[in-house]
Amino acid sequence: MHTPAALVTGGATRLGRHFAEALAEKGYDIALHVNSSRGEAEEVAKGIRQKGQACEILPCNFLSDALEELVATAKQRFPGLNVLINSASAYEPAPIASTNMAMLETQFRVNLFTPLLLTRHFAEAVENGQVINIIDNKVAYHQYPYAAYLLSKKSLADMTRMAALEFSPRLRINGIAPGVVLPASQRTSDYIQWRIEGIPLKQQGDPSHLVQAMYYLLDNNFVTGQVLFVDGGESNNLEGQHSENYPV
């Protein structure tokens, strides 16, 4: 009987790191994908091994390297591979008026094409398993200042639902759409507070909330094709303009 294992893309930093470490806590060995964050990956791998789980760092540049080889290597090193977490992401904000082909190609390749193809190769490599795609609660909106990024994430949400149909019942495929949890380092405290004002629960999220969501999706074998918004209700805040909120 092989130890269950998970391939976590972007597992060395930010949310990917939290998912990788939480999976290790749950008894998974970790195939830790990394691109440029090798130093951080070594630190994460060390911590996972100290928890008693195996961890292998698997380098792969999603703009140039073969994705099939990444999955094949993960499966070879961890025969119990049965979870894929697509957490790696590319983000470069720009409205449509300032978007060029290079921005579209990079963000769509990392945020949509890679999770799609990894899901395909994962389905070929395992008999049964789960895929969890990390999306973004912005998919509930049409925020054109993030055109290429947001369009790629909206497509990822649709791909999640589509793949869940195609690969059922062997695979369960779901998504998590985080809200204000780990804001970019350039965001000011005033900006974050302003964002919190628009969240019905009036609080910033924590990575532990996303880990809880991941555990739920892993454990509930009657859930597939869902995108779970973990955002304090922010994505529901689409009341719109009407007579009762008209400023007079």
Side-chain angles (χ1 to χ4, degrees):
M1 190 73 174
H2 299 295
T3 302
L7 170 58
V8 183
T9 71
T13 60
R14 294 178 61 78
L15 294 180
R17 175 174 185 163
H18 287 280
F19 292 130
E21 292 174 340
L23 284 162
E25 292 278 359
K26 200 172 174 65
Y28 286 80
D29 291 338
I30 304 297
L32 192 73
H33 158 261
V34 63
N35 180 23
S36 58
S37 304
R38 184 70 192 218
E40 292 92 335
E42 295 285 359
E43 181 182 343
V44 174
K46 179 180 178 181
I48 288 172
R49 291 166 188 147
Q50 288 175 343
K51 298 178 190 294
Q53 300 302 132
C55 182
E56 293 283 345
I57 297 171
L58 305 183
C60 184
N61 184 333
F62 289 161
L63 300 180
S64 59
D65 295 340
L67 301 176
E68 189 172 6
E69 290 182 11
L70 175 62
V71 176
T73 302
K75 176 64 173 176
Q76 179 183 25
R77 298 191 183 182
F78 299 107
L81 180 70
N82 64 357
V83 169
L84 168 63
I85 309 290
N86 284 310
S87 184
S89 184
Y91 170 76
E92 184 178 356
I96 294 172
S98 302
T99 297
N100 57 39
M101 184 60 76
M103 295 168 63
L104 284 166
E105 288 179 342
T106 296
Q107 294 181 85
F108 267 82
R109 185 153 184 175
V110 174
N111 298 339
L112 174 63
F113 302 161
T114 291
L116 185 152
L117 291 172
L118 287 178
T119 298
R120 172 199 163 179
H121 298 314
F122 179 77
E124 293 168 343
V126 306
E127 292 184 8
N128 297 280
Q130 296 187 58
V131 179
I132 298 177
N133 296 318
I134 309 307
I135 306 176
D136 192 314
N137 81 327
K138 288 182 181 298
V139 299
Y141 307 111
H142 303 296
Q143 296 179 349
Y144 56 82
Y146 314 97
Y149 169 78
L150 188 48
L151 285 169
S152 67
K153 288 292 190 175
K154 283 175 178 282
S155 296
L156 179 59
D158 281 339
M159 189 280 282
T160 299
R161 301 179 182 102
M162 190 179 296
L165 291 175
E166 178 172 352
F167 295 109
S168 287
R170 288 197 307 114
L171 302 184
R172 289 196 299 108
I173 301 176
N174 294 289
I176 296 173
V180 184
V181 175
L182 285 178
S185 57
Q186 69 266 30
R187 303 303 189 196
T188 65
S189 57
D190 287 346
Y191 171 83
I192 295 170
Q193 185 57 45
W194 174 74
R195 285 290 305 275
I196 291 172
E197 303 279 328
I199 298 174
L201 290 183
K202 301 300 181 189
Q203 67 181 66
Q204 181 176 341
D206 185 85
S208 64
H209 296 129
L210 302 178
V211 167
Q212 288 174 338
M214 179 185 68
Y215 284 167
Y216 166 76
L217 293 175
L218 290 175
D219 292 340
N220 193 321
N221 63 10
F222 201 50
V223 175
T224 196
Q226 302 302 306
V227 176
L228 182 56
F229 284 76
V230 185
D231 66 351
E234 184 181 27
S235 55
N236 294 321
N237 200 7
L238 298 171
E239 183 180 1
Q241 294 171 315
H242 57 84
S243 62
E244 296 305 312
N245 66 13
Y246 176 69
V248 292

PDB file of all heavy atoms in Angstrom, residues 2 30 36 46 68 71-73 78 83 94 106 124 138 144 152 174 177 184 192-193 196 198 204 231:
ATOM      1  N   HIS A   2       0.732   2.068  -1.020  1.00  0.00           N
ATOM      2  CA  HIS A   2       1.559   3.264  -1.124  1.00  0.00           C
ATOM      3  C   HIS A   2       0.979   4.411  -0.296  1.00  0.00           C
ATOM      4  O   HIS A   2      -0.243   4.551  -0.169  1.00  0.00           O
ATOM      5  CB  HIS A   2       1.671   3.705  -2.579  1.00  0.00           C
ATOM      6  CG  HIS A   2       2.314   2.686  -3.474  1.00  0.00           C
ATOM      7  ND1 HIS A   2       3.635   2.305  -3.330  1.00  0.00           N
ATOM      8  CD2 HIS A   2       1.828   1.972  -4.518  1.00  0.00           C
ATOM      9  CE1 HIS A   2       3.935   1.409  -4.249  1.00  0.00           C
ATOM     10  NE2 HIS A   2       2.854   1.182  -4.980  1.00  0.00           N
ATOM     11  N   ILE A  30       4.767  14.743  -0.647  1.00  0.00           N
ATOM     12  CA  ILE A  30       4.582  15.928  -1.489  1.00  0.00           C
ATOM     13  C   ILE A  30       5.586  15.966  -2.641  1.00  0.00           C
ATOM     14  O   ILE A  30       6.806  15.926  -2.432  1.00  0.00           O
ATOM     15  CB  ILE A  30       4.723  17.227  -0.661  1.00  0.00           C
ATOM     16  CG1 ILE A  30       3.750  17.227   0.523  1.00  0.00           C
ATOM     17  CG2 ILE A  30       4.514  18.453  -1.554  1.00  0.00           C
ATOM     18  CD1 ILE A  30       2.280  17.196   0.147  1.00  0.00           C
ATOM     19  N   SER A  36      11.167  29.294 -10.026  1.00  0.00           N
ATOM     20  CA  SER A  36      12.341  30.110  -9.683  1.00  0.00           C
ATOM     21  C   SER A  36      12.623  30.175  -8.184  1.00  0.00           C
ATOM     22  O   SER A  36      13.679  30.654  -7.778  1.00  0.00           O
ATOM     23  CB  SER A  36      12.160  31.537 -10.218  1.00  0.00           C
ATOM     24  OG  SER A  36      10.982  32.125  -9.695  1.00  0.00           O
ATOM     25  N   LYS A  46      12.258  20.787   3.650  1.00  0.00           N
ATOM     26  CA  LYS A  46      12.861  20.421   4.931  1.00  0.00           C
ATOM     27  C   LYS A  46      11.795  20.306   6.011  1.00  0.00           C
ATOM     28  O   LYS A  46      11.771  19.352   6.802  1.00  0.00           O
ATOM     29  CB  LYS A  46      13.916  21.464   5.321  1.00  0.00           C
ATOM     30  CG  LYS A  46      14.594  21.180   6.650  1.00  0.00           C
ATOM     31  CD  LYS A  46      15.633  22.256   6.977  1.00  0.00           C
ATOM     32  CE  LYS A  46      16.285  22.001   8.325  1.00  0.00           C
ATOM     33  NZ  LYS A  46      17.281  23.069   8.666  1.00  0.00           N
ATOM     34  N   GLU A  68       4.030  16.914 -19.252  1.00  0.00           N
ATOM     35  CA  GLU A  68       3.847  15.480 -19.106  1.00  0.00           C
ATOM     36  C   GLU A  68       4.966  14.865 -18.277  1.00  0.00           C
ATOM     37  O   GLU A  68       4.739  13.964 -17.470  1.00  0.00           O
ATOM     38  CB  GLU A  68       3.796  14.822 -20.483  1.00  0.00           C
ATOM     39  CG  GLU A  68       3.399  13.359 -20.454  1.00  0.00           C
ATOM     40  CD  GLU A  68       3.166  12.798 -21.838  1.00  0.00           C
ATOM     41  OE1 GLU A  68       3.421  13.526 -22.816  1.00  0.00           O
ATOM     42  OE2 GLU A  68       2.725  11.645 -21.935  1.00  0.00           O
ATOM     43  N   VAL A  71       4.380  15.385 -14.418  1.00  0.00           N
ATOM     44  CA  VAL A  71       3.456  14.420 -13.825  1.00  0.00           C
ATOM     45  C   VAL A  71       4.093  13.032 -13.780  1.00  0.00           C
ATOM     46  O   VAL A  71       3.978  12.312 -12.776  1.00  0.00           O
ATOM     47  CB  VAL A  71       2.131  14.389 -14.612  1.00  0.00           C
ATOM     48  CG1 VAL A  71       1.217  13.305 -14.054  1.00  0.00           C
ATOM     49  CG2 VAL A  71       1.447  15.748 -14.543  1.00  0.00           C
ATOM     50  N   ALA A  72       4.789  12.659 -14.862  1.00  0.00           N
ATOM     51  CA  ALA A  72       5.417  11.327 -14.906  1.00  0.00           C
ATOM     52  C   ALA A  72       6.457  11.174 -13.815  1.00  0.00           C
ATOM     53  O   ALA A  72       6.549  10.123 -13.163  1.00  0.00           O
ATOM     54  CB  ALA A  72       6.051  11.098 -16.277  1.00  0.00           C
ATOM     55  N   THR A  73       7.239  12.224 -13.579  1.00  0.00           N
ATOM     56  CA  THR A  73       8.257  12.172 -12.527  1.00  0.00           C
ATOM     57  C   THR A  73       7.612  12.082 -11.151  1.00  0.00           C
ATOM     58  O   THR A  73       8.056  11.313 -10.287  1.00  0.00           O
ATOM     59  CB  THR A  73       9.163  13.410 -12.601  1.00  0.00           C
ATOM     60  OG1 THR A  73       9.782  13.474 -13.889  1.00  0.00           O
ATOM     61  CG2 THR A  73      10.244  13.362 -11.533  1.00  0.00           C
ATOM     62  N   PHE A  78       6.481   8.974  -6.511  1.00  0.00           N
ATOM     63  CA  PHE A  78       5.410   8.751  -5.532  1.00  0.00           C
ATOM     64  C   PHE A  78       4.305   7.923  -6.182  1.00  0.00           C
ATOM     65  O   PHE A  78       3.336   8.471  -6.714  1.00  0.00           O
ATOM     66  CB  PHE A  78       4.853  10.086  -5.024  1.00  0.00           C
ATOM     67  CG  PHE A  78       5.861  10.955  -4.323  1.00  0.00           C
ATOM     68  CD1 PHE A  78       6.357  12.088  -4.949  1.00  0.00           C
ATOM     69  CD2 PHE A  78       6.342  10.627  -3.071  1.00  0.00           C
ATOM     70  CE1 PHE A  78       7.294  12.899  -4.314  1.00  0.00           C
ATOM     71  CE2 PHE A  78       7.277  11.422  -2.430  1.00  0.00           C
ATOM     72  CZ  PHE A  78       7.764  12.563  -3.058  1.00  0.00           C
ATOM     73  N   VAL A  83      -3.492  13.232  -5.796  1.00  0.00           N
ATOM     74  CA  VAL A  83      -4.009  14.597  -5.669  1.00  0.00           C
ATOM     75  C   VAL A  83      -3.129  15.537  -6.491  1.00  0.00           C
ATOM     76  O   VAL A  83      -1.897  15.434  -6.466  1.00  0.00           O
ATOM     77  CB  VAL A  83      -4.039  15.065  -4.193  1.00  0.00           C
ATOM     78  CG1 VAL A  83      -4.318  16.565  -4.095  1.00  0.00           C
ATOM     79  CG2 VAL A  83      -5.098  14.291  -3.414  1.00  0.00           C
ATOM     80  N   ALA A  94      -3.420  44.788 -16.079  1.00  0.00           N
ATOM     81  CA  ALA A  94      -3.494  45.763 -17.173  1.00  0.00           C
ATOM     82  C   ALA A  94      -4.903  45.726 -17.744  1.00  0.00           C
ATOM     83  O   ALA A  94      -5.489  44.647 -17.871  1.00  0.00           O
ATOM     84  CB  ALA A  94      -2.470  45.450 -18.263  1.00  0.00           C
ATOM     85  N   THR A 106       1.489  34.642 -21.566  1.00  0.00           N
ATOM     86  CA  THR A 106       2.054  34.211 -20.283  1.00  0.00           C
ATOM     87  C   THR A 106       0.967  33.840 -19.290  1.00  0.00           C
ATOM     88  O   THR A 106       0.996  32.765 -18.671  1.00  0.00           O
ATOM     89  CB  THR A 106       2.945  35.311 -19.693  1.00  0.00           C
ATOM     90  OG1 THR A 106       4.061  35.522 -20.555  1.00  0.00           O
ATOM     91  CG2 THR A 106       3.445  34.919 -18.309  1.00  0.00           C
ATOM     92  N   GLU A 124      -4.301  10.548 -16.955  1.00  0.00           N
ATOM     93  CA  GLU A 124      -3.668   9.423 -17.637  1.00  0.00           C
ATOM     94  C   GLU A 124      -2.804   8.600 -16.684  1.00  0.00           C
ATOM     95  O   GLU A 124      -2.618   7.401 -16.895  1.00  0.00           O
ATOM     96  CB  GLU A 124      -2.813   9.938 -18.797  1.00  0.00           C
ATOM     97  CG  GLU A 124      -3.621  10.570 -19.930  1.00  0.00           C
ATOM     98  CD  GLU A 124      -2.751  11.326 -20.918  1.00  0.00           C
ATOM     99  OE1 GLU A 124      -1.583  11.645 -20.570  1.00  0.00           O
ATOM    100  OE2 GLU A 124      -3.243  11.614 -22.018  1.00  0.00           O
ATOM    101  N   LYS A 138     -12.242  37.041  -7.850  1.00  0.00           N
ATOM    102  CA  LYS A 138     -12.488  38.065  -8.868  1.00  0.00           C
ATOM    103  C   LYS A 138     -13.246  37.513 -10.076  1.00  0.00           C
ATOM    104  O   LYS A 138     -13.766  38.288 -10.885  1.00  0.00           O
ATOM    105  CB  LYS A 138     -11.159  38.673  -9.340  1.00  0.00           C
ATOM    106  CG  LYS A 138     -10.483  39.589  -8.332  1.00  0.00           C
ATOM    107  CD  LYS A 138      -9.194  40.166  -8.927  1.00  0.00           C
ATOM    108  CE  LYS A 138      -8.469  41.069  -7.951  1.00  0.00           C
ATOM    109  NZ  LYS A 138      -9.256  42.243  -7.557  1.00  0.00           N
ATOM    110  N   TYR A 144     -11.992  44.981 -15.452  1.00  0.00           N
ATOM    111  CA  TYR A 144     -11.151  45.104 -16.651  1.00  0.00           C
ATOM    112  C   TYR A 144      -9.723  45.556 -16.379  1.00  0.00           C
ATOM    113  O   TYR A 144      -8.850  45.318 -17.218  1.00  0.00           O
ATOM    114  CB  TYR A 144     -11.816  46.020 -17.685  1.00  0.00           C
ATOM    115  CG  TYR A 144     -12.156  47.399 -17.192  1.00  0.00           C
ATOM    116  CD1 TYR A 144     -11.204  48.404 -17.145  1.00  0.00           C
ATOM    117  CD2 TYR A 144     -13.446  47.699 -16.761  1.00  0.00           C
ATOM    118  CE1 TYR A 144     -11.511  49.661 -16.681  1.00  0.00           C
ATOM    119  CE2 TYR A 144     -13.766  48.963 -16.294  1.00  0.00           C
ATOM    120  CZ  TYR A 144     -12.799  49.946 -16.263  1.00  0.00           C
ATOM    121  OH  TYR A 144     -13.105  51.193 -15.791  1.00  0.00           O
ATOM    122  N   SER A 152      -8.172  34.627 -17.819  1.00  0.00           N
ATOM    123  CA  SER A 152      -7.579  33.295 -17.690  1.00  0.00           C
ATOM    124  C   SER A 152      -8.154  32.551 -16.486  1.00  0.00           C
ATOM    125  O   SER A 152      -8.390  31.334 -16.540  1.00  0.00           O
ATOM    126  CB  SER A 152      -6.048  33.391 -17.584  1.00  0.00           C
ATOM    127  OG  SER A 152      -5.639  34.017 -16.381  1.00  0.00           O
ATOM    128  N   ASN A 174     -12.437  20.061  -8.466  1.00  0.00           N
ATOM    129  CA  ASN A 174     -13.083  21.224  -7.869  1.00  0.00           C
ATOM    130  C   ASN A 174     -12.128  22.416  -7.860  1.00  0.00           C
ATOM    131  O   ASN A 174     -10.955  22.296  -8.231  1.00  0.00           O
ATOM    132  CB  ASN A 174     -13.528  20.907  -6.436  1.00  0.00           C
ATOM    133  CG  ASN A 174     -14.624  19.853  -6.381  1.00  0.00           C
ATOM    134  OD1 ASN A 174     -15.765  20.108  -6.751  1.00  0.00           O
ATOM    135  ND2 ASN A 174     -14.284  18.656  -5.926  1.00  0.00           N
ATOM    136  N   ALA A 177     -11.825  29.525  -4.740  1.00  0.00           N
ATOM    137  CA  ALA A 177     -11.689  30.919  -5.178  1.00  0.00           C
ATOM    138  C   ALA A 177     -11.444  31.794  -3.951  1.00  0.00           C
ATOM    139  O   ALA A 177     -12.395  32.196  -3.273  1.00  0.00           O
ATOM    140  CB  ALA A 177     -12.939  31.369  -5.929  1.00  0.00           C
ATOM    141  N   ALA A 184      -1.055  41.196  -2.166  1.00  0.00           N
ATOM    142  CA  ALA A 184       0.284  41.447  -2.694  1.00  0.00           C
ATOM    143  C   ALA A 184       1.040  42.398  -1.777  1.00  0.00           C
ATOM    144  O   ALA A 184       0.445  43.253  -1.108  1.00  0.00           O
ATOM    145  CB  ALA A 184       0.196  42.026  -4.106  1.00  0.00           C
ATOM    146  N   ILE A 192      -6.028  47.603   2.143  1.00  0.00           N
ATOM    147  CA  ILE A 192      -6.584  46.352   2.659  1.00  0.00           C
ATOM    148  C   ILE A 192      -7.804  46.627   3.525  1.00  0.00           C
ATOM    149  O   ILE A 192      -8.817  45.924   3.441  1.00  0.00           O
ATOM    150  CB  ILE A 192      -5.510  45.572   3.446  1.00  0.00           C
ATOM    151  CG1 ILE A 192      -4.377  45.145   2.502  1.00  0.00           C
ATOM    152  CG2 ILE A 192      -6.125  44.362   4.139  1.00  0.00           C
ATOM    153  CD1 ILE A 192      -3.167  44.584   3.200  1.00  0.00           C
ATOM    154  N   GLN A 193      -7.730  47.666   4.343  1.00  0.00           N
ATOM    155  CA  GLN A 193      -8.868  48.014   5.190  1.00  0.00           C
ATOM    156  C   GLN A 193     -10.072  48.404   4.334  1.00  0.00           C
ATOM    157  O   GLN A 193     -11.219  48.045   4.633  1.00  0.00           O
ATOM    158  CB  GLN A 193      -8.508  49.149   6.153  1.00  0.00           C
ATOM    159  CG  GLN A 193      -9.595  49.495   7.146  1.00  0.00           C
ATOM    160  CD  GLN A 193     -10.016  48.297   7.992  1.00  0.00           C
ATOM    161  OE1 GLN A 193      -9.190  47.544   8.486  1.00  0.00           O
ATOM    162  NE2 GLN A 193     -11.331  48.107   8.148  1.00  0.00           N
ATOM    163  N   ILE A 196     -11.650  45.319   3.077  1.00  0.00           N
ATOM    164  CA  ILE A 196     -12.398  44.650   4.144  1.00  0.00           C
ATOM    165  C   ILE A 196     -13.782  45.276   4.314  1.00  0.00           C
ATOM    166  O   ILE A 196     -14.760  44.575   4.604  1.00  0.00           O
ATOM    167  CB  ILE A 196     -11.597  44.682   5.465  1.00  0.00           C
ATOM    168  CG1 ILE A 196     -10.359  43.772   5.343  1.00  0.00           C
ATOM    169  CG2 ILE A 196     -12.456  44.259   6.646  1.00  0.00           C
ATOM    170  CD1 ILE A 196      -9.401  43.881   6.509  1.00  0.00           C
ATOM    171  N   GLY A 198     -15.718  46.179   2.125  1.00  0.00           N
ATOM    172  CA  GLY A 198     -16.638  45.627   1.138  1.00  0.00           C
ATOM    173  C   GLY A 198     -16.930  44.148   1.329  1.00  0.00           C
ATOM    174  O   GLY A 198     -17.625  43.546   0.510  1.00  0.00           O
ATOM    175  N   GLN A 204     -10.527  40.109   7.136  1.00  0.00           N
ATOM    176  CA  GLN A 204      -9.622  39.545   6.154  1.00  0.00           C
ATOM    177  C   GLN A 204      -9.517  38.044   6.380  1.00  0.00           C
ATOM    178  O   GLN A 204      -9.590  37.563   7.511  1.00  0.00           O
ATOM    179  CB  GLN A 204      -8.243  40.190   6.292  1.00  0.00           C
ATOM    180  CG  GLN A 204      -7.208  39.691   5.291  1.00  0.00           C
ATOM    181  CD  GLN A 204      -5.893  40.431   5.424  1.00  0.00           C
ATOM    182  OE1 GLN A 204      -5.834  41.527   6.002  1.00  0.00           O
ATOM    183  NE2 GLN A 204      -4.825  39.861   4.897  1.00  0.00           N
ATOM    184  N   ASP A 231     -14.241  33.799   0.757  1.00  0.00           N
ATOM    185  CA  ASP A 231     -13.971  35.241   0.614  1.00  0.00           C
ATOM    186  C   ASP A 231     -14.817  36.114   1.525  1.00  0.00           C
ATOM    187  O   ASP A 231     -14.971  37.303   1.290  1.00  0.00           O
ATOM    188  CB  ASP A 231     -14.168  35.668  -0.840  1.00  0.00           C
ATOM    189  CG  ASP A 231     -15.621  35.554  -1.312  1.00  0.00           C
ATOM    190  OD1 ASP A 231     -16.460  34.982  -0.568  1.00  0.00           O
ATOM    191  OD2 ASP A 231     -15.926  36.038  -2.427  1.00  0.00           O
TER     192      ASP A 231
END
